Amino acid sequence: ELINEVHAALLKDDLKRAYRKMAIKYHPDKTKLDADVAAEKFKQVAVAHKVLLDPAKREAYNEVITLLWQIVE
């Protein structure tokens, strides 16, 4: 879910900025969300960042998203 918030076409610097912004937003010590919810979202942000930084994983993600959009249309 959160991976969709960080658009797959972002440049590396943009990705880094977006990751930091979202990491702060969902950090359990910095948010007003329930601690368990914040921790889960924080983990999702970290996974999204890891996927989008790895070229092979990013390509696979882009292929899946393209296929999903074709199905929706």
Side-chain angles (χ1 to χ4, degrees):
E1 171 182 322
L2 287 176
I3 198 166
N4 294 327
E5 290 183 37
V6 182
H7 191 272
L10 290 175
L11 299 174
K12 203 170 193 175
D13 289 341
D14 293 333
L15 176 60
K16 189 175 184 179
R17 253 190 309 275
Y19 167 71
R20 286 183 178 169
K21 182 178 178 180
M22 292 179 71
I24 290 170
K25 178 179 179 180
Y26 292 114
H27 192 282
D29 294 338
K30 305 244 182 203
T31 187
K32 295 179 182 178
L33 294 175
D34 176 66
D36 292 335
V37 172
E40 182 60 33
K41 291 198 180 276
F42 186 76
K43 288 177 191 174
Q44 290 175 0
V45 169
V47 169
H49 184 248
K50 187 175 180 179
V51 167
L52 294 176
L53 276 181
D54 182 306
K57 289 179 181 178
R58 186 175 186 154
E59 181 62 31
Y61 170 78
N62 287 340
E63 289 176 16
V64 169
I65 293 301
T66 301
L67 289 172
L68 288 173
W69 277 112
Q70 289 173 355
I71 291 170
V72 170
E73 292 176 344

